């Protein structure tokens, strides 16, 4: 059974600071996704990482994937209040019949304090 | 806006009742996935349909069932509802594999918030 662990689960950071969220997973996978969720809202896709060494950046967020270490990171640079949300990583595993199933981490609730 | 629609947005019902949640995938997407999000269980995969056929099952209770219709919309049926079924239920859709490397990215709908009293 695929397990996905995120840490930290809660993160309170000051505006302007940098921090990294970690996502470890238990079995081989070469597809990893990062989503953002605002309270009571849906999940918004942030990054899709498809290969070892993949790095993607959008604004103050940068995601990377190390498939050998089974680790993805989401790095936040110079945080601003608008980044306050819950961030989920999800790992894709083949579930047969040409289908892939996503297993989500528990999410990291990020609060950016002025 | 992901292009995935779900109805209703909110649903309040009593224990023991049955409800149906509806999902329309993005135009062209053949796969539909259902997820349950609750405070204690987190975000859990329930079931996947692809072009009308069940493809994968996750942690779906026997009291729950789903189907995907020829027009590709999907319905999730929840019966004999219990207090613990109160949650946000999301539908997601993804594109059909095209032969090239496919991201299988899933696009999530706005969710249906179910409250069982």
């Amino acid at each position: 059974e695929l397990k996905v662990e995120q840490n930290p689960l809660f993160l309170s950071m000051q505006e302007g600071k940098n921090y990294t969220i970690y996502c470890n997973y238990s079995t081989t996978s070469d597809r990893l996704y990062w989503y953002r969720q605002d309270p009571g809202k849906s999940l918004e896709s942030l990054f899709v990482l498809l290969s070892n060494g993949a790095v993607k950046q959008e604004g103050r967020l940068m995601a990377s994937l190390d498939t050998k270490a089974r680790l993805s990171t989401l790095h936040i640079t110079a945080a601003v209040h608008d980044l306050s949300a819950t961030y989920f990583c999800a790992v894709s595993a083949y579930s047969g019949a040409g289908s892939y199933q996503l297993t989500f981490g528990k999410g990291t609730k990020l609060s950016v304090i002025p | 806006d992901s292009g995935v629609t779900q109805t209703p947005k909110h649903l309040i019902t009593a224990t023991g009742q049955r409800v149906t949640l509806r999902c329309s995938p993005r135009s062209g997407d053949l796969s539909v996935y259902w997820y349950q999000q609750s405070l204690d269980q987190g975000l859990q995969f329930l079931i996947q349909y692809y072009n009308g056929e069940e493809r994968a099952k996750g942690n779906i209770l026997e009291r729950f069932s789903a189907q995907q219709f020829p027009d590709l919309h999907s319905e999730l049926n929840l019966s004999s509802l219990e207090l613990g079924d109160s949650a946000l239920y999301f539908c997601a859709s993804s594109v059909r594999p095209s032969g090239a490397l496919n991201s299988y990215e899933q696009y999530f709908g706005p969710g249906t918030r179910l409250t069982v009293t």
Side-chain angles (χ1 to χ4, degrees):
Chain A
E1 180 190 343
L2 174 58
K3 292 191 189 307
V4 180
E5 289 188 3
Q6 275 182 249
N7 69 82
L9 297 183
F10 298 93
L11 178 55
S12 180
M13 55 190 298
Q14 284 189 310
E15 280 190 330
K17 298 292 187 184
N18 304 333
Y19 209 82
T20 300
I21 299 170
Y22 297 88
C23 175
N24 290 89
Y25 53 98
S26 61
T27 62
T28 302
S29 174
D30 57 2
R31 289 186 173 87
L32 190 135
Y33 309 82
W34 284 95
Y35 288 89
R36 168 184 171 141
Q37 186 180 35
D38 292 299
K41 303 292 186 182
S42 185
L43 280 81
E44 173 194 352
S45 178
L46 293 175
F47 299 108
V48 179
L49 303 169
L50 298 178
S51 60
N52 187 41
V55 177
K56 290 198 173 178
Q57 183 161 7
E58 180 73 38
R60 300 173 189 274
L61 300 177
M62 184 173 71
S64 66
L65 177 61
D66 181 343
T67 58
K68 292 178 182 173
R70 296 177 189 167
L71 170 69
S72 179
T73 60
L74 180 67
H75 187 72
I76 303 154
T77 302
V80 293
H81 181 69
D82 284 352
L83 290 180
S84 297
T86 299
Y87 294 85
F88 291 92
C89 67
V91 178
S92 178
Y94 186 64
S95 55
S99 293
Y100 289 80
Q101 183 175 316
L102 285 187
T103 300
F104 282 81
K106 290 187 182 300
T108 296
K109 185 171 182 180
L110 171 66
S111 298
V112 181
I113 303 163
Chain B
D1 184 355
S2 66
V4 179
T5 61
Q6 288 186 251
T7 56
K9 283 189 177 179
H10 302 278
L11 199 47
I12 301 174
T13 189
T15 54
Q17 295 298 305
R18 173 189 170 95
V19 297
T20 298
L21 313 183
R22 184 188 166 108
C23 167
S24 292
R26 292 188 323 159
S27 177
D29 284 358
L30 297 178
S31 259
V32 168
Y33 309 78
W34 286 98
Y35 293 87
Q36 179 194 60
Q37 186 177 36
S38 61
L39 279 175
D40 52 344
Q41 299 288 334
L43 196 59
Q44 289 201 99
F45 166 70
L46 296 178
I47 197 164
Q48 178 203 356
Y49 278 81
Y50 175 81
N51 203 20
E53 293 186 3
E54 182 185 304
R55 275 295 177 94
K57 258 186 176 179
N59 299 320
I60 188 166
L61 299 172
E62 285 192 11
R63 300 183 283 110
F64 297 0
S65 65
Q67 53 185 330
Q68 186 180 28
F69 295 87
D71 67 353
L72 301 178
H73 90 271
S74 178
E75 293 181 355
L76 179 67
N77 301 296
L78 315 175
S79 61
S80 302
L81 285 167
E82 302 174 0
L83 294 178
D85 298 328
S86 297
L88 255 177
Y89 290 85
F90 287 108
C91 165
S93 73
S94 69
V95 296
R96 178 177 187 231
S98 63
L101 180 62
N102 190 294
S103 71
Y104 297 94
E105 185 174 1
Q106 294 183 21
Y107 297 86
F108 282 74
T112 293
R113 181 170 292 281
L114 173 66
T115 302
V116 182
T117 62

